[in-house]
Amino acid sequence: MGFAWSQATTANFSSCRCFPGDSCWPAPSVWNDFNATVGGKLIATVPLATPCHSMTFNQAECDAIRAKWTVPTTHTETSSSIMAPWFANQSCEAFLPPTSQCVIGAYVQYAVDAHEASNYQATINFAKKHNIRLVIRNTGHDWLGKSTGAGAIAIWTHHMKDTEVLDYESDGYSGKALKVGAGVQFMDAFKAAHDAGLVTVGGTCPTVGMAGGYTQGGGHGLSVSKFGLGADQALEWEVVTADGEILTASPDENADLYWALSGGGGGTYAAVLSLTVKAHPDGLTAGANLTFSAAGISQDKFFDGIEAYISGLPKVLDAGATSTWLNNNDTFILSPAVGVGMSKKKLDALHQPVLDKLKKLGINYTYYSADFPSFLAMYKAMNPETATATFQIGSRLIPRTVITTKTHAFRKALQNIAGYGTWISGVSFNVSKTPHVPNAAFHAWRESLVSLVVGTFYDYQSREKNIVNQKLMTNTIVPHLSSLIPGGGYAYLNEGDPWEPKWQQVFYGENYGRLSFIKRKYDPDDLFYTWTGVGSERWKQAADLRLCKAH
Protein backbone atom coordinates (compact mmCIF):
# COMPACT_ATOMS: atom_id res chain seq x y z
CA MET A 1 0.00 0.00 0.00
CA GLY A 2 1.45 3.37 0.95
CA PHE A 3 4.69 4.18 2.64
CA ALA A 4 6.05 6.78 5.01
CA TRP A 5 9.39 8.53 4.81
CA SER A 6 12.28 6.90 6.61
CA GLN A 7 13.31 8.75 9.76
CA ALA A 8 16.83 7.33 9.70
CA THR A 9 19.44 9.97 10.45
CA THR A 10 22.62 8.06 11.23
CA ALA A 11 22.66 4.98 9.00
CA ASN A 12 25.12 4.86 6.15
CA PHE A 13 23.22 5.29 2.88
CA SER A 14 26.33 5.82 0.73
CA SER A 15 25.02 3.26 -1.75
CA CYS A 16 21.72 5.14 -2.04
CA ARG A 17 20.71 8.60 -3.15
CA CYS A 18 20.18 10.91 -0.20
CA PHE A 19 16.58 10.82 0.94
CA PRO A 20 14.28 13.06 3.02
CA GLY A 21 14.80 12.19 6.68
CA ASP A 22 18.45 11.19 6.19
CA SER A 23 21.18 13.19 7.94
CA CYS A 24 22.61 14.06 4.50
CA TRP A 25 19.39 15.74 3.36
CA PRO A 26 20.01 19.50 2.89
CA ALA A 27 18.70 21.78 5.62
CA PRO A 28 16.05 24.39 4.75
CA SER A 29 18.73 27.08 4.71
CA VAL A 30 20.65 25.12 2.07
CA TRP A 31 17.56 24.84 -0.10
CA ASN A 32 16.98 28.58 0.35
CA ASP A 33 20.52 29.33 -0.78
CA PHE A 34 20.05 27.09 -3.80
CA ASN A 35 16.79 28.86 -4.63
CA ALA A 36 18.73 32.13 -4.73
CA THR A 37 21.29 30.52 -7.03
CA VAL A 38 18.59 29.64 -9.57
CA GLY A 39 16.91 33.04 -9.37
CA GLY A 40 13.95 32.01 -7.21
CA LYS A 41 12.90 29.21 -9.59
CA LEU A 42 12.86 26.40 -7.01
CA ILE A 43 9.37 24.95 -6.50
CA ALA A 44 8.55 22.84 -3.44
CA THR A 45 6.08 20.13 -4.41
CA VAL A 46 2.49 20.37 -3.26
CA PRO A 47 0.63 17.44 -4.86
CA LEU A 48 -2.16 18.55 -7.17
CA ALA A 49 -4.95 16.71 -5.32
CA THR A 50 -3.97 17.97 -1.85
CA PRO A 51 -7.39 19.72 -1.45
CA CYS A 52 -8.99 16.24 -1.59
CA HIS A 53 -7.40 15.15 1.70
CA SER A 54 -8.04 15.64 5.39
CA MET A 55 -5.76 18.41 6.55
CA THR A 56 -6.62 20.65 3.61
CA PHE A 57 -9.89 19.12 2.47
CA ASN A 58 -12.05 21.44 0.37
CA GLN A 59 -15.02 19.76 -1.31
CA ALA A 60 -15.48 22.37 -4.05
CA GLU A 61 -11.78 22.43 -4.96
CA CYS A 62 -11.60 18.64 -4.87
CA ASP A 63 -14.65 18.26 -7.12
CA ALA A 64 -13.10 20.70 -9.60
CA ILE A 65 -9.84 18.74 -9.62
CA ARG A 66 -11.64 15.42 -10.11
CA ALA A 67 -13.73 16.81 -12.97
CA LYS A 68 -10.64 17.66 -15.01
CA TRP A 69 -8.31 14.91 -13.79
CA THR A 70 -8.10 13.04 -17.12
CA VAL A 71 -7.48 16.23 -19.11
CA PRO A 72 -3.75 16.36 -19.90
CA THR A 73 -3.36 20.09 -19.27
CA THR A 74 -4.42 19.52 -15.66
CA HIS A 75 -1.05 17.83 -15.18
CA THR A 76 1.19 19.33 -17.84
CA GLU A 77 1.09 22.77 -16.25
CA THR A 78 2.34 21.50 -12.89
CA SER A 79 5.92 20.71 -11.93
CA SER A 80 5.15 17.42 -10.23
CA SER A 81 1.82 15.75 -11.06
CA ILE A 82 2.09 12.11 -12.14
CA MET A 83 -0.06 11.17 -15.14
CA ALA A 84 0.56 7.41 -14.86
CA PRO A 85 -1.29 6.94 -11.57
CA TRP A 86 0.45 3.74 -10.48
CA PHE A 87 3.65 5.71 -9.88
CA ALA A 88 1.94 8.07 -7.42
CA ASN A 89 1.83 5.09 -5.01
CA GLN A 90 -1.69 6.03 -3.90
CA SER A 91 -0.50 9.23 -2.26
CA CYS A 92 -2.59 12.38 -2.65
CA GLU A 93 -4.82 10.57 -5.16
CA ALA A 94 -7.85 12.61 -6.23
CA PHE A 95 -10.30 9.71 -6.04
CA LEU A 96 -9.32 8.14 -2.74
CA PRO A 97 -11.12 9.01 0.52
CA PRO A 98 -10.10 12.25 2.29
CA THR A 99 -8.57 10.19 5.12
CA SER A 100 -6.14 8.37 2.78
CA GLN A 101 -2.47 9.34 2.85
CA CYS A 102 -1.34 12.60 1.32
CA VAL A 103 2.43 12.89 1.51
CA ILE A 104 4.90 13.94 -1.16
CA GLY A 105 6.01 10.32 -1.31
CA ALA A 106 6.63 9.22 -4.88
CA TYR A 107 6.46 12.77 -6.24
CA VAL A 108 9.62 14.81 -6.75
CA GLN A 109 10.44 16.86 -3.65
CA TYR A 110 11.42 19.96 -5.61
CA ALA A 111 11.58 21.17 -9.19
CA VAL A 112 13.58 23.95 -10.78
CA ASP A 113 11.54 25.92 -13.31
CA ALA A 114 14.37 26.04 -15.82
CA HIS A 115 14.52 28.87 -18.32
CA GLU A 116 18.16 28.66 -19.40
CA ALA A 117 21.22 26.44 -19.43
CA SER A 118 22.58 27.89 -16.18
CA ASN A 119 19.47 26.59 -14.36
CA TYR A 120 20.27 23.09 -15.64
CA GLN A 121 23.90 23.39 -14.60
CA ALA A 122 23.10 24.67 -11.11
CA THR A 123 20.56 21.87 -10.54
CA ILE A 124 22.94 19.19 -11.79
CA ASN A 125 25.71 20.51 -9.56
CA PHE A 126 23.39 20.65 -6.53
CA ALA A 127 22.12 17.10 -7.11
CA LYS A 128 25.67 15.79 -7.43
CA LYS A 129 26.98 17.67 -4.40
CA HIS A 130 24.22 16.36 -2.14
CA ASN A 131 23.82 12.93 -3.83
CA ILE A 132 20.13 13.62 -4.62
CA ARG A 133 18.14 11.79 -7.24
CA LEU A 134 17.68 13.87 -10.41
CA VAL A 135 14.68 13.75 -12.76
CA ILE A 136 14.07 15.45 -16.11
CA ARG A 137 10.45 16.56 -16.55
CA ASN A 138 8.56 18.57 -19.14
CA THR A 139 4.85 17.71 -19.30
CA GLY A 140 4.67 14.52 -17.25
CA HIS A 141 3.26 12.56 -20.22
CA ASP A 142 4.77 9.23 -19.36
CA TRP A 143 3.48 5.66 -19.03
CA LEU A 144 6.53 4.34 -17.18
CA GLY A 145 7.14 6.77 -14.31
CA LYS A 146 10.25 8.31 -15.85
CA SER A 147 9.30 11.92 -15.06
CA THR A 148 9.00 11.46 -11.31
CA GLY A 149 11.05 9.99 -8.47
CA ALA A 150 10.82 9.75 -4.71
CA GLY A 151 13.22 12.11 -2.97
CA ALA A 152 14.21 13.70 -6.28
CA ILE A 153 14.80 17.17 -7.61
CA ALA A 154 13.50 17.77 -11.14
CA ILE A 155 14.78 19.96 -13.92
CA TRP A 156 11.39 21.19 -15.15
CA THR A 157 11.92 22.11 -18.80
CA HIS A 158 8.31 23.13 -19.51
CA HIS A 159 9.00 26.83 -20.03
CA MET A 160 11.85 26.36 -22.49
CA LYS A 161 9.48 27.41 -25.28
CA ASP A 162 11.63 29.02 -27.99
CA THR A 163 11.02 27.95 -31.59
CA GLU A 164 13.00 29.02 -34.65
CA VAL A 165 12.73 28.11 -38.34
CA LEU A 166 16.16 27.61 -39.87
CA ASP A 167 17.82 27.05 -43.21
CA TYR A 168 19.95 24.11 -42.18
CA GLU A 169 23.11 22.89 -43.88
CA SER A 170 25.10 19.79 -43.05
CA ASP A 171 26.72 16.89 -44.86
CA GLY A 172 23.59 14.82 -44.26
CA TYR A 173 20.80 17.36 -44.74
CA SER A 174 20.23 20.63 -46.53
CA GLY A 175 16.85 22.31 -46.12
CA LYS A 176 14.36 23.79 -43.72
CA ALA A 177 14.51 22.90 -40.05
CA LEU A 178 12.75 23.77 -36.83
CA LYS A 179 14.70 24.35 -33.63
CA VAL A 180 12.61 23.77 -30.50
CA GLY A 181 13.37 24.34 -26.84
CA ALA A 182 13.08 21.42 -24.46
CA GLY A 183 9.62 22.57 -23.30
CA VAL A 184 8.01 22.88 -26.72
CA GLN A 185 4.94 20.68 -27.15
CA PHE A 186 3.62 19.25 -30.39
CA MET A 187 0.94 21.87 -30.91
CA ASP A 188 3.54 24.62 -30.39
CA ALA A 189 5.82 22.97 -32.94
CA PHE A 190 3.07 22.25 -35.46
CA LYS A 191 1.90 25.89 -35.33
CA ALA A 192 5.41 27.28 -35.69
CA ALA A 193 6.04 25.03 -38.68
CA HIS A 194 2.60 25.72 -40.19
CA ASP A 195 3.15 29.48 -40.04
CA ALA A 196 6.24 28.98 -42.20
CA GLY A 197 4.46 26.69 -44.68
CA LEU A 198 6.07 23.61 -43.17
CA VAL A 199 5.20 20.45 -41.26
CA THR A 200 7.17 18.47 -38.68
CA VAL A 201 6.77 14.98 -37.28
CA GLY A 202 5.03 14.59 -33.93
CA GLY A 203 2.66 12.37 -32.01
CA THR A 204 -1.11 12.21 -31.71
CA CYS A 205 -1.43 14.04 -28.36
CA PRO A 206 -0.85 17.79 -28.82
CA THR A 207 0.44 18.39 -25.28
CA VAL A 208 3.37 15.92 -25.42
CA GLY A 209 6.84 17.46 -25.60
CA MET A 210 8.81 17.07 -28.81
CA ALA A 211 12.40 17.10 -27.52
CA GLY A 212 11.93 14.74 -24.58
CA GLY A 213 11.03 11.07 -24.43
CA TYR A 214 9.11 11.25 -27.71
CA THR A 215 11.98 11.91 -30.12
CA GLN A 216 14.55 10.38 -27.79
CA GLY A 217 12.47 7.19 -27.64
CA GLY A 218 11.83 6.81 -31.38
CA GLY A 219 8.50 8.59 -31.84
CA HIS A 220 5.59 7.49 -34.03
CA GLY A 221 2.63 9.61 -35.16
CA LEU A 222 0.31 10.59 -37.97
CA SER A 223 2.95 11.55 -40.53
CA VAL A 224 5.68 8.96 -40.00
CA SER A 225 4.84 6.85 -43.07
CA LYS A 226 5.58 9.95 -45.13
CA PHE A 227 8.61 11.33 -43.30
CA GLY A 228 9.97 8.68 -40.91
CA LEU A 229 10.06 8.35 -37.14
CA GLY A 230 10.51 11.28 -34.80
CA ALA A 231 14.07 10.10 -34.17
CA ASP A 232 14.72 10.14 -37.93
CA GLN A 233 14.04 13.88 -37.96
CA ALA A 234 16.74 14.81 -35.43
CA LEU A 235 19.50 16.97 -36.89
CA GLU A 236 21.20 18.08 -33.71
CA TRP A 237 20.74 18.23 -29.96
CA GLU A 238 21.94 20.86 -27.51
CA VAL A 239 22.42 19.29 -24.10
CA VAL A 240 23.92 19.72 -20.65
CA THR A 241 25.92 16.68 -19.58
CA ALA A 242 26.31 15.17 -16.12
CA ASP A 243 29.51 17.21 -15.83
CA GLY A 244 27.57 20.42 -16.46
CA GLU A 245 29.13 20.89 -19.89
CA ILE A 246 27.04 22.28 -22.76
CA LEU A 247 27.49 20.12 -25.85
CA THR A 248 26.07 19.95 -29.35
CA ALA A 249 25.40 16.42 -30.56
CA SER A 250 25.03 15.88 -34.31
CA PRO A 251 26.25 13.36 -36.88
CA ASP A 252 29.38 15.53 -37.20
CA GLU A 253 29.97 16.44 -33.55
CA ASN A 254 29.73 14.07 -30.58
CA ALA A 255 28.19 11.62 -33.03
CA ASP A 256 27.89 8.80 -30.51
CA LEU A 257 25.77 10.96 -28.19
CA TYR A 258 23.66 12.09 -31.16
CA TRP A 259 23.07 8.44 -32.08
CA ALA A 260 21.99 7.51 -28.53
CA LEU A 261 19.73 10.53 -28.05
CA SER A 262 17.96 9.80 -31.33
CA GLY A 263 15.94 6.78 -30.28
CA GLY A 264 17.85 5.40 -27.29
CA GLY A 265 15.53 6.64 -24.54
CA GLY A 266 14.78 9.95 -22.83
CA GLY A 267 16.27 11.43 -19.66
CA THR A 268 19.18 8.99 -19.76
CA TYR A 269 22.34 10.41 -21.38
CA ALA A 270 22.12 14.18 -20.84
CA ALA A 271 19.59 16.94 -20.18
CA VAL A 272 18.32 18.39 -23.46
CA LEU A 273 18.17 22.15 -23.95
CA SER A 274 17.01 22.14 -27.57
CA LEU A 275 16.42 19.90 -30.55
CA THR A 276 16.67 20.79 -34.23
CA VAL A 277 14.53 18.66 -36.55
CA LYS A 278 13.81 18.44 -40.26
CA ALA A 279 10.86 20.50 -41.49
CA HIS A 280 9.03 19.47 -44.64
CA PRO A 281 6.84 21.35 -47.12
CA ASP A 282 3.24 21.50 -45.94
CA GLY A 283 0.19 21.12 -48.12
CA LEU A 284 -2.80 18.98 -49.00
CA THR A 285 -3.52 16.36 -46.33
CA ALA A 286 -6.34 13.84 -46.33
CA GLY A 287 -7.97 12.39 -43.23
CA ALA A 288 -10.50 9.60 -42.74
CA ASN A 289 -12.50 8.00 -39.93
CA LEU A 290 -14.11 4.56 -39.88
CA THR A 291 -16.29 3.12 -37.12
CA PHE A 292 -18.37 -0.02 -36.67
CA SER A 293 -19.71 -1.99 -33.73
CA ALA A 294 -20.81 -5.45 -32.66
CA ALA A 295 -24.43 -4.33 -32.32
CA GLY A 296 -26.71 -6.92 -33.92
CA ILE A 297 -23.89 -9.24 -35.00
CA SER A 298 -21.86 -11.99 -33.34
CA GLN A 299 -18.47 -11.46 -31.74
CA ASP A 300 -16.90 -13.57 -34.44
CA LYS A 301 -18.39 -11.46 -37.22
CA PHE A 302 -17.32 -8.26 -35.44
CA PHE A 303 -13.74 -9.51 -35.33
CA ASP A 304 -14.08 -10.64 -38.96
CA GLY A 305 -14.54 -6.92 -39.62
CA ILE A 306 -11.38 -6.09 -37.69
CA GLU A 307 -9.55 -8.78 -39.63
CA ALA A 308 -10.76 -7.16 -42.85
CA TYR A 309 -9.27 -3.86 -41.72
CA ILE A 310 -5.97 -5.46 -40.71
CA SER A 311 -5.66 -7.30 -44.03
CA GLY A 312 -5.93 -3.98 -45.85
CA LEU A 313 -3.23 -2.24 -43.82
CA PRO A 314 -0.15 -3.05 -45.97
CA LYS A 315 -1.64 -1.40 -49.07
CA VAL A 316 -2.66 1.72 -47.11
CA LEU A 317 0.66 2.09 -45.32
CA ASP A 318 2.86 1.31 -48.31
CA ALA A 319 1.16 4.18 -50.14
CA GLY A 320 2.43 6.58 -47.45
CA ALA A 321 -0.59 6.84 -45.15
CA THR A 322 -0.59 6.36 -41.38
CA SER A 323 -3.45 5.44 -39.08
CA THR A 324 -4.40 5.09 -35.46
CA TRP A 325 -7.20 2.78 -34.37
CA LEU A 326 -8.86 1.56 -31.21
CA ASN A 327 -11.07 -1.39 -30.36
CA ASN A 328 -12.51 -3.39 -27.51
CA ASN A 329 -15.04 -6.23 -27.52
CA ASP A 330 -17.80 -4.28 -29.24
CA THR A 331 -16.42 -1.12 -30.88
CA PHE A 332 -13.86 -0.39 -33.60
CA ILE A 333 -12.73 3.18 -34.25
CA LEU A 334 -10.23 4.26 -36.93
CA SER A 335 -9.52 7.84 -35.91
CA PRO A 336 -7.88 8.93 -38.10
CA ALA A 337 -6.14 7.56 -41.14
CA VAL A 338 -3.91 10.30 -42.57
CA GLY A 339 -2.31 10.86 -45.93
CA VAL A 340 0.16 13.75 -45.92
CA GLY A 341 0.46 15.08 -49.45
CA MET A 342 -2.41 12.77 -50.41
CA SER A 343 -5.91 13.58 -51.68
CA LYS A 344 -9.17 12.37 -50.19
CA LYS A 345 -9.79 10.52 -53.45
CA LYS A 346 -6.56 8.54 -53.08
CA LEU A 347 -7.15 7.79 -49.39
CA ASP A 348 -10.69 6.64 -50.15
CA ALA A 349 -9.42 4.33 -52.89
CA LEU A 350 -6.94 2.78 -50.47
CA HIS A 351 -9.72 2.04 -48.00
CA GLN A 352 -12.33 0.88 -50.54
CA PRO A 353 -11.32 -2.81 -50.41
CA VAL A 354 -11.83 -2.77 -46.64
CA LEU A 355 -15.22 -1.09 -46.98
CA ASP A 356 -16.23 -3.64 -49.61
CA LYS A 357 -15.33 -6.50 -47.25
CA LEU A 358 -17.32 -4.93 -44.40
CA LYS A 359 -20.33 -4.59 -46.69
CA LYS A 360 -19.98 -8.20 -47.82
CA LEU A 361 -19.83 -9.31 -44.17
CA GLY A 362 -23.04 -7.42 -43.46
CA ILE A 363 -21.37 -5.05 -41.02
CA ASN A 364 -22.84 -1.56 -40.85
CA TYR A 365 -20.14 1.08 -40.74
CA THR A 366 -19.65 4.83 -40.84
CA TYR A 367 -16.86 6.21 -43.01
CA TYR A 368 -15.95 9.87 -43.35
CA SER A 369 -13.08 11.52 -45.17
CA ALA A 370 -12.04 15.00 -46.22
CA ASP A 371 -9.32 17.06 -47.85
CA PHE A 372 -7.51 19.64 -45.74
CA PRO A 373 -5.22 22.45 -46.91
CA SER A 374 -2.53 21.59 -44.34
CA PHE A 375 -1.45 18.98 -41.84
CA LEU A 376 -2.38 21.24 -38.93
CA ALA A 377 -5.92 21.76 -40.27
CA MET A 378 -6.36 17.98 -40.47
CA TYR A 379 -4.82 17.49 -37.02
CA LYS A 380 -7.24 19.91 -35.38
CA ALA A 381 -10.29 18.51 -37.16
CA MET A 382 -9.67 14.76 -37.20
CA ASN A 383 -7.41 13.95 -34.27
CA PRO A 384 -9.50 13.38 -31.10
CA GLU A 385 -8.54 14.67 -27.66
CA THR A 386 -6.32 12.24 -25.80
CA ALA A 387 -7.01 11.54 -22.13
CA THR A 388 -4.34 10.92 -19.52
CA ALA A 389 -2.97 7.50 -18.71
CA THR A 390 -5.97 5.78 -17.12
CA PHE A 391 -4.73 2.40 -18.30
CA GLN A 392 -2.00 -0.03 -17.35
CA ILE A 393 -0.38 -1.05 -20.58
CA GLY A 394 1.67 -3.57 -22.45
CA SER A 395 2.68 -3.55 -26.11
CA ARG A 396 4.48 -5.08 -29.06
CA LEU A 397 5.62 -3.89 -32.46
CA ILE A 398 3.81 -6.16 -34.92
CA PRO A 399 6.03 -7.18 -37.85
CA ARG A 400 4.81 -7.00 -41.44
CA THR A 401 5.11 -10.79 -41.67
CA VAL A 402 2.52 -11.23 -38.92
CA ILE A 403 0.10 -8.86 -40.69
CA THR A 404 0.56 -10.48 -44.08
CA THR A 405 1.05 -14.19 -43.27
CA LYS A 406 -0.60 -14.61 -39.86
CA THR A 407 -3.55 -12.28 -40.32
CA HIS A 408 -6.13 -14.65 -38.89
CA ALA A 409 -3.90 -15.69 -35.98
CA PHE A 410 -3.32 -12.02 -35.16
CA ARG A 411 -7.05 -11.37 -35.27
CA LYS A 412 -7.65 -14.34 -32.94
CA ALA A 413 -5.06 -12.97 -30.52
CA LEU A 414 -6.84 -9.61 -30.50
CA GLN A 415 -10.17 -11.33 -29.90
CA ASN A 416 -8.75 -13.32 -26.99
CA ILE A 417 -7.13 -10.25 -25.48
CA ALA A 418 -10.31 -8.18 -25.79
CA GLY A 419 -12.06 -10.92 -23.83
CA TYR A 420 -10.19 -9.75 -20.73
CA GLY A 421 -12.01 -6.41 -20.87
CA THR A 422 -9.11 -4.53 -22.41
CA TRP A 423 -8.90 -1.72 -24.91
CA ILE A 424 -6.52 -2.25 -27.82
CA SER A 425 -4.84 0.62 -29.65
CA GLY A 426 -2.87 0.39 -32.86
CA VAL A 427 -0.71 3.02 -34.53
CA SER A 428 -0.06 1.77 -38.06
CA PHE A 429 2.86 2.97 -40.20
CA ASN A 430 5.56 2.04 -42.66
CA VAL A 431 8.96 3.44 -41.67
CA SER A 432 10.95 0.77 -43.51
CA LYS A 433 13.15 3.32 -45.22
CA THR A 434 16.37 3.56 -43.25
CA PRO A 435 17.31 7.17 -42.41
CA HIS A 436 20.34 8.69 -44.15
CA VAL A 437 22.02 9.10 -40.77
CA PRO A 438 21.76 6.03 -38.50
CA ASN A 439 20.20 6.39 -35.08
CA ALA A 440 19.31 4.23 -32.07
CA ALA A 441 15.79 3.36 -33.26
CA PHE A 442 16.32 -0.39 -33.49
CA HIS A 443 15.73 -2.38 -36.66
CA ALA A 444 12.37 -3.82 -35.58
CA TRP A 445 10.81 -0.41 -36.30
CA ARG A 446 11.72 -0.83 -39.97
CA GLU A 447 10.16 -4.30 -40.15
CA SER A 448 6.88 -3.47 -38.36
CA LEU A 449 3.51 -2.14 -39.50
CA VAL A 450 1.76 -1.65 -36.14
CA SER A 451 2.69 -0.53 -32.66
CA LEU A 452 -0.02 -2.29 -30.67
CA VAL A 453 -0.81 -1.18 -27.12
CA VAL A 454 -3.17 -3.10 -24.83
CA GLY A 455 -4.63 -1.45 -21.74
CA THR A 456 -6.43 -2.65 -18.64
CA PHE A 457 -8.33 0.04 -16.74
CA TYR A 458 -6.58 1.53 -13.73
CA ASP A 459 -8.67 1.29 -10.57
CA TYR A 460 -8.18 4.41 -8.44
CA GLN A 461 -9.76 2.68 -5.47
CA SER A 462 -7.90 -0.64 -5.34
CA ARG A 463 -4.17 -1.22 -5.44
CA GLU A 464 -4.86 -4.94 -5.21
CA LYS A 465 -6.92 -4.97 -8.43
CA ASN A 466 -4.18 -3.04 -10.19
CA ILE A 467 -1.57 -5.57 -9.10
CA VAL A 468 -3.78 -8.36 -10.47
CA ASN A 469 -4.08 -6.49 -13.78
CA GLN A 470 -0.34 -5.87 -13.90
CA LYS A 471 0.32 -9.59 -13.59
CA LEU A 472 -2.38 -10.31 -16.17
CA MET A 473 -0.67 -7.94 -18.60
CA THR A 474 2.86 -9.25 -18.05
CA ASN A 475 2.10 -12.95 -17.72
CA THR A 476 -0.88 -13.47 -20.06
CA ILE A 477 -1.83 -10.63 -22.39
CA VAL A 478 1.58 -9.60 -23.76
CA PRO A 479 2.58 -13.26 -24.22
CA HIS A 480 -0.51 -13.66 -26.45
CA LEU A 481 1.12 -11.18 -28.81
CA SER A 482 4.69 -12.40 -28.29
CA SER A 483 3.71 -15.91 -29.32
CA LEU A 484 3.03 -14.67 -32.85
CA ILE A 485 6.46 -13.06 -33.24
CA PRO A 486 9.73 -14.97 -33.71
CA GLY A 487 11.87 -14.38 -30.64
CA GLY A 488 8.98 -12.78 -28.75
CA GLY A 489 9.23 -9.38 -30.41
CA TYR A 490 9.98 -5.82 -29.44
CA ALA A 491 8.07 -2.81 -28.12
CA TYR A 492 8.13 0.97 -28.40
CA LEU A 493 10.00 1.84 -25.22
CA ASN A 494 7.65 4.75 -24.41
CA GLU A 495 4.58 2.50 -24.50
CA GLY A 496 5.75 -0.78 -23.04
CA ASP A 497 4.83 -2.77 -19.97
CA PRO A 498 6.75 -1.15 -17.07
CA TRP A 499 7.26 -4.67 -15.69
CA GLU A 500 8.52 -6.16 -18.95
CA PRO A 501 10.91 -8.89 -17.71
CA LYS A 502 13.27 -8.67 -20.71
CA TRP A 503 13.09 -4.91 -21.14
CA GLN A 504 16.69 -4.45 -22.31
CA GLN A 505 16.02 -6.70 -25.31
CA VAL A 506 12.37 -5.74 -25.89
CA PHE A 507 12.82 -1.95 -25.64
CA TYR A 508 16.31 -1.54 -27.13
CA GLY A 509 16.97 -4.62 -29.24
CA GLU A 510 20.37 -5.01 -30.80
CA ASN A 511 21.44 -1.54 -29.63
CA TYR A 512 21.53 -2.10 -25.86
CA GLY A 513 25.23 -2.89 -25.58
CA ARG A 514 26.31 0.17 -27.54
CA LEU A 515 23.84 2.39 -25.70
CA SER A 516 25.15 1.16 -22.36
CA PHE A 517 28.71 2.00 -23.42
CA ILE A 518 27.67 5.53 -24.43
CA LYS A 519 25.76 5.93 -21.17
CA ARG A 520 28.91 5.05 -19.22
CA LYS A 521 30.97 7.51 -21.25
CA TYR A 522 28.75 10.56 -20.75
CA ASP A 523 27.19 9.70 -17.38
CA PRO A 524 29.59 7.38 -15.52
CA ASP A 525 27.91 7.93 -12.14
CA ASP A 526 24.36 7.38 -13.43
CA LEU A 527 23.14 10.84 -12.48
CA PHE A 528 20.41 10.44 -15.10
CA TYR A 529 18.26 7.49 -14.02
CA THR A 530 14.90 6.48 -15.48
CA TRP A 531 12.79 3.38 -14.97
CA THR A 532 13.77 0.86 -17.70
CA GLY A 533 16.27 3.39 -19.04
CA VAL A 534 19.67 2.24 -20.27
CA GLY A 535 21.83 1.44 -17.24
CA SER A 536 18.91 1.37 -14.81
CA GLU A 537 19.63 -2.28 -13.98
CA ARG A 538 22.50 -0.93 -11.88
CA TRP A 539 19.93 0.59 -9.49
CA LYS A 540 16.87 -0.53 -7.56
CA GLN A 541 14.07 1.20 -5.66
CA ALA A 542 13.80 0.19 -2.02
CA ALA A 543 10.49 -0.38 -0.22
CA ASP A 544 10.25 3.34 0.58
CA LEU A 545 11.20 4.10 -3.07
CA ARG A 546 14.63 5.52 -2.29
CA LEU A 547 17.02 4.84 -5.17
CA CYS A 548 19.95 2.55 -4.29
CA LYS A 549 22.71 0.74 -6.16
CA ALA A 550 21.70 -2.79 -7.09
CA HIS A 551 25.02 -4.36 -6.10
Side-chain angles (χ1 to χ4, degrees), residues 47-59 62 66 90-103 107:
L48 184 61
T50 297
C52 296
H53 296 275
S54 294
M55 296 298 292
T56 55
F57 183 73
N58 182 302
Q59 188 68 63
C62 183
R66 288 173 173 171
Q90 286 198 309
S91 180
C92 295
E93 285 272 21
F95 299 99
L96 286 175
T99 54
S100 64
Q101 70 167 355
C102 187
V103 295
Y107 300 85

Side-chain angles (χ1 to χ4, degrees), residues 181-264:
V184 171
Q185 295 159 271
F186 290 143
M187 187 56 79
D188 305 325
F190 291 159
K191 286 179 178 176
H194 175 268
D195 290 347
L198 302 167
V199 61
T200 60
V201 170
T204 56
C205 182
T207 55
V208 170
M210 176 173 279
Y214 173 78
T215 302
Q216 291 178 57
H220 58 45
L222 298 176
S223 60
V224 298
S225 292
K226 178 74 172 180
F227 301 123
L229 293 170
D232 299 340
Q233 313 307 307
L235 296 169
E236 67 178 56
W237 304 83
E238 184 185 17
V239 303
V240 179
T241 69
D243 289 334
E245 184 179 3
I246 300 173
L247 293 182
T248 297
S250 73
D252 303 317
E253 187 176 2
N254 301 303
D256 55 350
L257 182 58
Y258 164 85
W259 181 86
L261 288 166
S262 306

Side-chain angles (χ1 to χ4, degrees), residues 301-318:
K301 180 158 287 192
F302 172 68
F303 276 90
D304 285 344
I306 293 177
E307 184 174 348
Y309 172 73
I310 291 167
S311 68
L313 274 175
K315 180 179 179 181
V316 174
L317 305 179
D318 292 351

